[in-house]
Amino acid sequence: MLHLLTAVGILVCAIQAIRSRRLIVSALWLAGTSALVALELYLLGAPEIGVIELSVGAGLVTVLFVFAINLTGEEATDLKGLIKEPLAVVVTILMIVLLGILLVPGVDRAAPSLGEPALKAVLWGNRQMDVILQAVLVFCGVLGVLGLLGEKESTPTGQTHSEEKG
Amino acid sequence: MILSVPNVVILMVVGLLGVGIYALLTVRNLIKVVVALQIMVKGAMLALVLAGRLQGQENLGQSMALTVIVADTIVAVVGLALAVQVRRVVGSLDLRALTTLRR
């Protein structure tokens, strides 16, 4: 029952995050989605991942969103989409059906739990390459953001338009 | 269809991926695109944890979900930094403004 309530909450938060017109409200709904996903992870028996999702997904990413929205400013988001809405609905339904066909039979092939090593043994022992790649990814992300947010590369908007006209 | 825990989680995963793909197809604001990607990744993360649980390898699924969280955060950070820079250079967050590489 709690799983079902969490599922409904997650989907409502996700839909609201997409539907809301103000970007800041959208970011807050996304934080709600993250928090409920963390609760679901806890209920699924993954409390460590739930805590990390709560602190990173609902905390850090939300702060980043608010920071970015403050830098860029609110903008009207009720523009018409890149493709026509009926086509988007059809593609989405097609994807949902395909996913359902692929995923649902997997539930019946569930295997019994084997005596597997603890999470820390799996993470630091069996999947060392993942951990190293994560560290490299974080480093690359930091370098990428430093490069992107550098002031030297940007040119003012007005100058761009005047150059185009000229 | 019985509403057992795996079925509910699969419904959640499919729902999150559906909402994400619909948003990616219809939204034109760059920050909203990052929001849609975040929603899709949450669905993928839940699917990984569920798959590990169903296959009797819970910790493997969880360690992969951890990798997904890190990658997802980096994607969000770089995507938002790109959005800030696009706003500075182009003057708008509209994706249509990015259809050419001219400045």
Side-chain angles (χ1 to χ4, degrees):
Chain A
M1 187 63 188
L2 195 52
H3 282 280
L4 197 60
L5 284 177
T6 317
V8 171
I10 287 173
L11 289 179
V12 167
C13 284
I15 291 168
Q16 285 298 324
I18 298 303
R19 278 190 63 204
S20 56
R21 293 190 171 197
R22 293 190 62 197
L23 290 174
I24 197 95
V25 178
S26 187
L28 292 178
W29 279 112
L30 184 69
T33 313
S34 283
L36 287 171
V37 166
L39 173 65
E40 182 60 35
L41 287 169
Y42 175 76
L43 292 174
L44 281 173
E48 297 96 344
I49 309 300
V51 166
I52 294 170
E53 169 63 21
L54 191 62
S55 55
V56 174
L60 176 68
V61 173
T62 309
V63 171
L64 286 171
F65 267 104
V66 173
F67 182 60
I69 292 165
N70 272 333
L71 280 179
T72 57
E74 284 281 350
E75 201 172 297
T77 55
D78 51 349
L79 301 164
K80 283 190 175 178
L82 288 174
I83 65 170
K84 288 180 180 170
E85 187 137 344
L87 182 60
V89 172
V90 169
V91 171
T92 307
I93 290 173
L94 199 67
M95 193 216 70
I96 287 175
V97 170
L98 277 175
L99 268 177
I101 292 170
L102 287 171
L103 286 179
V104 170
V107 177
D108 301 330
R109 292 199 296 269
S113 180
L114 308 168
E116 61 162 345
L119 178 61
K120 62 179 180 184
V122 173
L123 191 64
W124 297 107
N126 302 354
R127 304 199 66 79
Q128 273 177 333
M129 190 56 84
D130 275 8
V131 176
I132 294 169
L133 283 177
Q134 282 175 40
V136 172
L137 200 59
V138 170
F139 189 64
C140 290
V142 171
L143 285 182
V145 170
L146 284 177
L148 278 170
L149 293 182
E151 293 284 340
K152 285 179 187 172
E153 299 296 324
S154 62
T155 51
T157 314
Q159 190 185 337
T160 311
H161 288 303
S162 62
E163 276 174 9
E164 274 180 12
K165 282 173 190 169
Chain B
M1 189 176 174
I2 308 161
L3 282 179
S4 61
V5 172
N7 285 339
V8 171
V9 178
I10 280 184
L11 280 178
M12 212 183 314
V13 168
V14 172
L16 282 174
L17 290 175
V19 170
I21 200 96
Y22 176 77
L24 279 182
L25 290 172
T26 54
V27 156
R28 273 171 62 176
N29 189 298
L30 209 49
I31 291 183
K32 275 276 178 83
V33 170
V34 182
V35 171
L37 281 174
Q38 290 274 314
I39 289 173
M40 286 187 79
V41 167
K42 286 184 201 324
M45 190 170 59
L46 279 173
L48 277 173
V49 172
L50 178 72
R53 187 180 147 124
L54 288 177
Q55 293 300 314
Q57 293 179 316
E58 277 189 52
N59 293 330
L60 182 61
Q62 289 179 22
S63 69
M64 287 189 158
L66 190 61
T67 310
V68 169
I69 291 176
V70 173
D72 171 41
T73 309
I74 300 300
V75 166
V77 169
V78 174
L80 290 173
L82 262 174
V84 170
Q85 203 65 5
V86 163
R87 170 78 177 178
R88 274 185 194 162
V89 174
V90 181
S92 164
L93 286 173
D94 188 359
L95 282 179
R96 286 270 165 108
L98 297 176
T99 48
T100 59
L101 290 173
R102 281 188 300 130
R103 285 172 60 176

